[in-house]
Amino acid sequence: MSSAVILTGPGFQDHDVVYTYYRLMEQGWTVDVATRDGEPVTGKYGVPLPMDKTASPNISFDDLDVAAYDVVICTGGHEAPDRVRQDRRVLDFVAGMAESGRIVAGLCHGPWIMVSAGVLRGRKACAYIGLRDDVVNAGAHVVDSDVVVDGNIITCSYYAYVGRFMRAVFETAEARAAAPLPAAG
C-alpha cells in the first residue's frame, strides 16, 4: 500500500488539503497530516484538521520519517507554507524525500516549502504568480504550465488545477513503482 504525508499548518488553503487528502484515501493510500507538534489547525475558510471523526490525529513534524512515505505533499494557502518552511524538521524531511528519490509534490504556495528545503535547484517547475520569483531564485527553470513533473518533483501553479496535480502524483507513483530497482553498487 502506498503512503503519503500532507504538510500543513494554520491558515492552510482548505481546497488543497481537503481534495488531496480524500483523493489519496479514495485510492487506498495511507495518509498522515503533519503539523507542528501534531497540533489541530484550521484552514483559511474554517476547515479543521483533523477533518472528521474518522480521521487519524495529526502527526508531529518530529514523527516525519523518509522511510515511512512514498510521497510528501506540500499544500498551499500562503500563511501555512510560510510558517511550515521555517521549521528545520520539515526542511530536512523534504530534502531527504527528494534525495531518496521519493516524490515531493507542491501545490500553489506549497512549493515555498520546497524552495526552503533546496529541492528545486536545476529542476523544471511551474509556480503560482506570487511565488514565481522565489522559485526562479531557488534555481528552478520555471515554465508556464498548470502542472509540471520533473522526475520525482511535482509542482502545480494553482489550486484550481488540483485534479491534474493529483493525477500527476498517482501516475508518477505508479511509474516509479513499476520501474526496476537500481542495481546494488
Side-chain angles (χ1 to χ4, degrees):
M1 179 182 299
S2 298
S3 61
V5 61
I6 298 170
L7 303 176
T8 196
F12 63 87
Q13 175 55 264
D14 306 55
H15 307 78
D16 293 8
V17 175
V18 169
Y19 191 90
T20 57
Y21 178 83
Y22 286 114
R23 277 298 291 125
L24 290 160
M25 296 291 287
E26 181 181 42
Q27 289 296 119
W29 288 44
T30 299
V31 185
D32 286 325
V33 175
T35 61
R36 185 175 56 94
D37 301 324
E39 297 170 343
V41 294
T42 303
K44 64 193 267 186
Y45 297 114
V47 170
L49 292 177
M51 275 187 270
D52 62 47
K53 65 183 179 182
T54 67
S56 299
N58 299 339
I59 67 166
S60 171
F61 294 155
D62 285 327
D63 298 324
L64 294 171
D65 178 9
V66 170
Y69 299 104
D70 301 299
V71 175
V72 58
I73 296 182
C74 304
T75 58
H78 70 277
E79 181 183 355
D82 192 36
R83 289 180 185 208
V84 169
R85 73 186 184 136
Q86 296 175 41
D87 194 301
R88 176 51 50 195
R89 299 170 292 182
V90 168
L91 301 183
D92 292 344
F93 171 71
V94 170
M97 289 287 287
E99 289 166 11
S100 70
R102 288 172 168 80
I103 297 169
V104 177
L107 172 60
C108 203
H109 276 81
W112 251 349
I113 300 165
M114 299 162 76
V115 164
S116 294
V119 302
L120 293 178
R121 181 165 307 285
R123 298 298 194 120
K124 188 168 76 167
C126 59
Y128 177 70
I129 188 67
L131 250 56
R132 185 179 182 87
D133 291 345
D134 296 326
V135 174
V136 167
N137 289 334
H141 171 70
V142 176
V143 295
D144 187 19
S145 184
D146 300 343
V147 176
V148 171
V149 178
D150 184 351
N152 63 323
I153 302 294
I154 302 171
T155 50
C156 180
S157 60
Y158 188 59
Y159 68 80
Y161 312 128
V162 69
R164 288 179 224 152
F165 171 75
M166 289 308 295
R167 282 192 297 280
V169 168
F170 294 135
E171 289 167 4
T172 303
E174 287 172 16
R176 296 181 82 68
L181 295 173

